[in-house]
């Protein structure tokens, strides 16, 4: 899903049939997105945009010697985190340098970094690729956010609290755009890359996501796995409160934004 969005091409055209992580069998013959593929970040950088990637990556191993770096894919800056959770604290890599974020949840770190990036040069156009871990496994949230759902089960308190915590931080970023007068000239796209983790899987843990009644979920090609929420705020193009019946998918994003 991520590679389809970033390249505008069907992933199978360049041989990506499985996710890329540390457990990938070398025998499959690939371990990063081919640098020769177009990327949304590179296209935008070439026409003057500042570009940053924040959060989950899952498309290469930029920390390994000899592997393509984030700049090869079109990013001026990056803040990467390994693992899969809304961690409290944790270790990150900012532009190749290891940093720690003790005392902050990753949801906060994402938005802090996005605001920091804009503030560095607010007069130039920017592209922020912010890929959140939350609510991916392992699901965590602050006690304060879990307490908002005290009438639910323990698992639901954690899951709903994590989603609420993420939602609050994205709201903080949107308010920042409003306050800086950037909202009217900034396109915001919010989506997911797959359906919720089915509770039948032993690793689903605290997963409590809903497909809204659609069949299947993550790991499935039924609608519950591939028909995801997509919210677009595009000043002058999309109208608030409306729902489009058009079918689109992640490879459409590059072509649309490039045009």
């Amino acid at each position: 899903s991520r590679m389809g969005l970033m390249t505008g091409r069907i992933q199978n055209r360049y041989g990506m049939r499985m996710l890329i992580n540390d457990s990938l069998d070398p025998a499959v013959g690939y371990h990063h997105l081919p640098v020769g593929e177009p990327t949304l970040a590179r296209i935008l950088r070439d026409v003057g945009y500042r570009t940053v990637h924040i959060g989950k990556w899952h498309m290469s191993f930029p920390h390994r010697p000899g592997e393509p770096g984030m700049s090869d894919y079109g990013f001026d800056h990056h803040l990467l985190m390994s693992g899969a959770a809304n961690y409290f604290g944790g270790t990150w890599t900012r532009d190749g340098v290891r940093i720690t974020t003790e005392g902050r949840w990753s949801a906060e770190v994402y938005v802090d970094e996005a605001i920091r990036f804009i503030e560095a040069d607010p007069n130039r156009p920017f592209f922020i690729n912010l890929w959140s871990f939350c609510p991916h496994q392992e699901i965590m949230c602050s006690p304060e956010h879990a307490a908002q759902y005290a009438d639910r089960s323990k698992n639901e308190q954690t899951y709903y609290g994590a989603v609420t915590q993420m939602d609050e931080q994205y709201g903080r970023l949107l308010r920042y755009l409003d306050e800086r007068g950037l909202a009217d000239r900034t396109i915001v796209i919010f989506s997911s890359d797959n359906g919720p983790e089915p509770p039948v899987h032993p690793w689903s843990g605290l997963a409590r996501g809903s497909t809204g009644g659609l069949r299947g979920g993550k790991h499935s090609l039924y609608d519950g796995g591939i028909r995801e929420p997509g919210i677009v705020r595009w000043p002058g193009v999309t109208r608030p409160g409306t729902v489009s019946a058009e079918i689109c998918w992640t490879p459409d994003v590059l072509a649309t934004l490039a045009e």
Side-chain angles (χ1 to χ4, degrees):
S1 298
R2 292 178 176 83
M3 294 187 187
L5 184 145
M6 190 55 57
T7 65
R9 303 187 72 209
I10 300 171
Q11 302 90 305
N12 280 347
R13 289 190 180 276
Y14 41 94
M16 311 312 292
R17 296 177 299 277
M18 188 61 182
L19 58 80
I20 294 177
N21 64 17
D22 287 311
S23 63
L24 185 68
D25 184 350
V28 302
Y30 61 78
H31 48 280
H32 61 253
L33 172 68
V35 176
E37 293 298 319
T39 71
L40 180 57
R42 193 185 301 129
I43 289 170
L44 293 175
R45 186 176 67 178
D46 287 348
V47 294
Y49 279 71
R50 300 170 59 235
T51 59
V52 66
H53 176 85
I54 302 169
K56 193 170 186 174
W57 178 239
H58 239 342
M59 290 169 37
S60 68
F61 295 112
H63 60 283
R64 293 184 179 177
E67 286 286 289
M70 299 299 291
S71 179
D72 294 315
Y73 295 111
F75 291 103
D76 297 321
H77 302 283
H78 65 268
L79 181 69
L80 305 180
M81 182 181 182
S82 60
N86 179 31
Y87 285 117
F88 183 70
T91 302
W92 297 64
T93 303
R94 174 189 285 145
D95 296 338
V97 178
R98 302 288 280 182
I99 63 172
T100 57
T101 58
E102 297 300 330
R104 289 186 296 161
W105 290 85
S106 59
E108 301 172 55
V109 176
Y110 298 139
V111 173
D112 286 348
E113 189 71 10
I115 292 174
R116 173 180 176 272
F117 174 75
I118 297 172
E119 284 289 316
D121 193 353
N123 296 318
R124 281 183 60 195
F126 57 83
F127 171 56
I128 299 174
N129 204 44
L130 200 170
W131 289 351
S132 171
F133 279 101
C134 182
H136 195 289
Q137 297 297 327
E138 304 165 0
I139 299 172
M140 308 173 186
C141 75
S142 73
E144 294 78 15
H145 286 86
Q148 296 182 34
Y149 302 95
D151 60 330
R152 311 304 290 259
S153 71
K154 189 69 174 177
N155 285 358
E156 288 175 330
Q157 289 177 34
T158 304
Y159 184 87
Y160 298 152
V163 173
T164 299
Q165 193 168 356
M166 177 192 71
D167 188 56
E168 286 181 359
Q169 293 303 315
Y170 285 159
R172 181 163 67 94
L173 180 56
L174 295 179
R175 286 193 300 275
Y176 170 81
L177 295 177
D178 288 335
E179 293 164 0
R180 290 302 303 259
L182 297 170
D184 290 340
R185 51 194 178 99
T186 302
I187 300 170
V188 179
I189 300 175
F190 179 90
S191 187
S192 175
D193 63 340
N194 54 248
E197 191 86 66
V200 296
H201 288 300
W203 56 82
S204 61
L206 303 176
R208 288 297 180 272
S210 170
T211 64
L214 299 175
R215 183 182 183 183
K218 186 176 180 179
H219 315 290
S220 165
L221 290 179
Y222 291 118
D223 275 7
I226 64 173
R227 184 174 170 182
E228 308 312 320
I231 304 172
V232 179
R233 189 177 79 175
W234 189 332
V237 177
T238 58
R239 289 179 295 130
T242 60
V243 178
S244 173
E246 293 185 56
I247 295 175
C248 64
W249 69 324
T250 51
D252 292 330
V253 173
L254 181 144
T256 300
L257 297 182
E259 181 183 6

